[in-house]
Amino acid sequence: MKKSIQWQLVTIIVGAISVSFAAFLVIMRYFMLDDYKQFMQTNDLQTAQILSNQVGQTIARPLRRQHMIASYPALMRLPPSEQASLILQFSLDEISYELFTLLNANGVSTVQVVGDFDSTSIKQRLDSWGGKDRISAAYRSPTTRDLIFTSIRKIEHEGQLEGTIVADISLRPLQTYINDFNHRSDLSAYLFDQNGTAIAQPSWFGEGLFNYETLKVIKQSTDNDGNVLENETDFRAPIGLVRAMQAAQRGGRGETTYRDQENNEFFCIYRPIPLPNSDKNWALVLTHSATTINVILNKLFLRALLGGIVISLLTLGVVIYFSRELTAPLRQIIEMANRIRAGDLSGQLKVKSDNEIGVLADNINYMIQGLRATRKKSQDAETKIKAIAYHDALTGLPNRT
């Protein structure tokens, strides 16, 4: 079966476009994948740096003010009223303190600026103090049940202990900040204290105090009498996440990948949050699901595919239109050639074209004119021969019947 030039032309052009588009999709899907992942990871690293700086500043602010107060000359030799006035000048209301108290060398409170004094709980803090500046791990506040940590700082004069500052600092602002970040970001942020307790983590873990060192979670409930009950159970955590936390607690910073229990891959960034006078740091860990990155890539791939299909259809329409314009003169020439073969020389090609097809049409028209002239000469000669054959040359009368 013979195929028209138009069909062949459309096939060649559409085939070339299809091959080019398929090659583009392959390059986009496979060769751009690493570049896109690298871009996402670079963006994640910048986010981790910003977030770790913000967390570090939030923790350092109350500790810095506590240090400034403890460093005030002859603080413990001031009357209690002047001590309270001095402490209030440091705008403690801007910090989420649950307790801020000044104790003398005997552990007796001289100034209670924030919170309710509880001699029993204060004694428990001092018993584990050890005479050094200390920052505790996170724990539940006995009054508000919020997560807090305690900072104990000694006050010395000429090498002699004169007193201590005990401050309970609420972690709710940090939790709110991390939780807001988790809600508005594709990343998942975890903040751990020096003992592995999760101060903040993605909301899908639910309520409870999760410890990633012991892999225990403490959940609270209330009985019929309103008493708060605590129940400790085990939970599972990806070993890669735990190792990233431990590396940050030791002061390490870096990036890694790990898989969870469902074999989902995660890109992980860990940063230490340094604590003064502590052998271990807090840890900030950010994770980004590789599945999320693949979903984004698949969306881009699908959009490119749909865009390519639309462009291909538009291109096909344009190709068909111009191929018709291009092959229409050829069809006229073929039709005229068939008429000439049948002996019809009455036609004339009317092709307006400046390319080779126009030249071919003009040459065919010249050929038709030449054939017409040749035919006319042949007919004239035939008529003359017949006249000579059937008429007398002198009289012009017919000589045959």
Side-chain angles (χ1 to χ4, degrees), residues 192 195-198 201 205 207-219 231-237 242:
F192 304 99
N195 288 349
T197 299
Q201 62 183 353
F205 284 92
E207 297 294 331
L209 196 59
F210 291 78
N211 189 294
Y212 282 71
E213 287 283 359
T214 63
L215 296 181
K216 301 285 186 181
V217 55
I218 299 176
K219 296 188 177 183
N231 180 36
E232 184 179 76
T233 57
D234 297 331
F235 77 98
R236 298 173 63 191
V242 175

Side-chain angles (χ1 to χ4, degrees), residues 38 96 142 178 204 221 226 244 281 312 325-326:
Q38 185 64 38
S96 298
I178 298 291
W204 61 71
S221 60
N281 302 291
S312 297
E325 292 294 315
L326 182 64

Side-chain angles (χ1 to χ4, degrees), residues 243-258:
R243 288 175 177 171
M245 175 198 71
Q246 293 170 339
Q249 289 173 332
R250 294 191 297 268
R253 52 193 295 126
E255 304 81 46
T256 185
T257 58
Y258 69 88

Side-chain angles (χ1 to χ4, degrees), residues 79-93:
S81 60
E82 293 186 21
Q83 290 177 342
S85 177
L86 172 67
I87 293 172
L88 290 175
Q89 291 179 14
F90 287 87
S91 304
L92 298 187
D93 56 332

